[in-house]
Amino acid sequence: MCREVDLQQAVLAKNDATAHSLRAALTARGTTVVNLLSSPGSGKTELLERELGRARERGVPVAALTADLATENDAVRLARSGAPVKQVLTDGLCHLEAGMLGRHIDDWLPDGTRILFVENVGNLVCPASYDLGETLRVVLASVTEGEDKPLKYPTAFGLAQLVVVTKTDIAQAVGFDEAAFRAHVQQVNPGVDVLLTAARRGEGVGTLLDRALAAGEGAPVHTPVMARQHPSHQHTHPHQDHRTHGGQHTHTHTHTGVHTHTHPDLGTHDHPHTGPHVHAHPDEPLVVTTAPASAAQHRP
C-alpha cells in the first residue's frame, strides 16, 4: 500500500510541475485554458460546440482539444463550428495529463488563440486529480444525472471554479430539483457559481466564453475551500495580458492529493497510446493523423 501511495504522489507531483510550466508558457502567448470535466452524456460537447460557434461569431480566436478513449465523433462535431479542433485518443487512459496536453498542442495550437477549451475524458474520478495548466476548471452536470451528483463526486465538484448545469430545458420533465442541487454544490464547494444552460435552445450559451475571457484578462477566479485545505497542491502563476496591460496577478490551481483507484483485476501498468488524431481548421477539411497519446504509468 505504501508503494502505491508513493507512486501516486510521484505521478501527481510530476504532473503538477509540468502543468506549472505549461501554464506559464501558454500565459506568455496569451492563451487561457479551460478544463471541462463531466460524466459521459452530460451534454458538454453540445454546449462546447455552441460556445465555439459563438466565439467565431464574435471574432474571438478559440480552439478545442477533445479527449476520448475511442472514436473521433466529438472532434467531428466540434469542427462544425469552424474553430480549430484536435482529437486525442487515450487508448484506455481515463484522464488527460499535463504532459499529454503539452505534446498535443505543441505543433498544433494556432498562434493568437485566446481560449483553448479542453474537453476532458468523460469521467468525474481520475480527471479531478490532474492539473492541466488550466486557468479555469469547469465541472458540468446535466439535469438527468440527479441532484446528489456533487455529493457522490466531491473531489470533482469540490475543486471546480465554475459549475454548469446542462439540459435545463428538460428539467421539469425529469423532476430536477434545482434548489437541492445548488445546496449540494455549496456543501462541497461554498461560494462557487452555478450556471444554467440549455444549449439546444441557446439559453446560457456564451456565458462560459465570457467567463473564460474574463479569467484570461485577470478577473478573479473562484478558489475552492478544498483547494485552500491542500496548500501543497496549489499552483500560482503570474498572468500577463498582452492585449490590455503589462501587470501581473495570480491564479490558484489545486489538487486534493493522493487518490488511489483499484480494480479487482488490474494493477499498476503502462499503456502504449497510439491512434488517429483529428486536426480541423476553419478553411481546411478535417484531417486525421496518427500520433502517440501518452505512455504514462497509472492506475485506472
Side-chain angles (χ1 to χ4, degrees), residues 29-233:
R29 62 188 287 181
T31 301
T32 298
V33 177
V34 180
N35 185 8
L36 304 174
L37 293 81
S38 80
S39 301
S42 67
K44 68 178 179 293
T45 304
E46 178 77 26
L47 179 60
L48 181 52
E49 181 183 355
R50 305 291 179 120
E51 293 287 345
L52 293 173
R54 184 63 56 86
R56 297 275 296 169
E57 292 171 2
R58 293 168 52 179
V60 178
V62 295
L65 181 145
T66 182
D68 277 303
L69 276 67
T71 81
E72 300 86 37
N73 294 349
D74 287 353
V76 171
R77 289 182 59 187
L78 295 178
R80 297 185 304 201
S81 69
V85 175
K86 185 171 187 177
Q87 178 80 54
V88 173
L89 299 182
T90 66
D91 193 28
L93 190 64
C94 59
H95 60 274
L96 283 175
E97 297 175 7
M100 297 168 62
L101 179 62
R103 287 191 294 274
H104 281 287
I105 66 176
D106 186 35
D107 297 322
W108 164 74
L109 189 66
D111 291 337
T113 300
R114 289 186 64 185
I115 307 295
L116 170 62
F117 289 100
V118 178
E119 184 180 15
N120 218 316
V121 179
N123 177 358
L124 284 176
V125 181
C126 303
S129 299
Y130 287 84
D131 183 4
L132 298 183
E134 69 264 18
T135 296
L136 185 64
R137 175 177 288 215
V138 182
V139 174
L140 302 90
S142 73
V143 298
T144 60
E145 295 179 67
E147 298 82 1
D148 60 348
K149 204 68 159 187
L151 303 181
K152 289 183 175 180
Y153 299 93
T155 300
F157 283 89
L159 287 176
Q161 293 163 306
L162 183 66
V163 174
V164 175
V165 179
T166 62
K167 306 182 184 181
T168 57
D169 51 322
I170 61 171
Q172 185 175 0
V174 299
F176 178 69
D177 187 335
E178 180 186 336
F181 179 85
R182 288 181 178 273
H184 294 153
V185 169
Q186 296 304 312
Q187 185 174 333
V188 299
N189 194 347
V192 70
D193 285 347
V194 177
L195 303 181
L196 303 180
T197 65
R200 292 191 174 183
R201 289 185 177 179
E203 297 173 5
V205 173
T207 306
L208 182 56
L209 175 64
D210 290 338
R211 290 297 188 101
L213 289 170
E217 293 170 358
V221 176
H222 172 68
T223 302
V225 170
M226 187 177 289
R228 297 195 291 268
Q229 292 173 343
H230 298 270
S232 63
H233 291 274

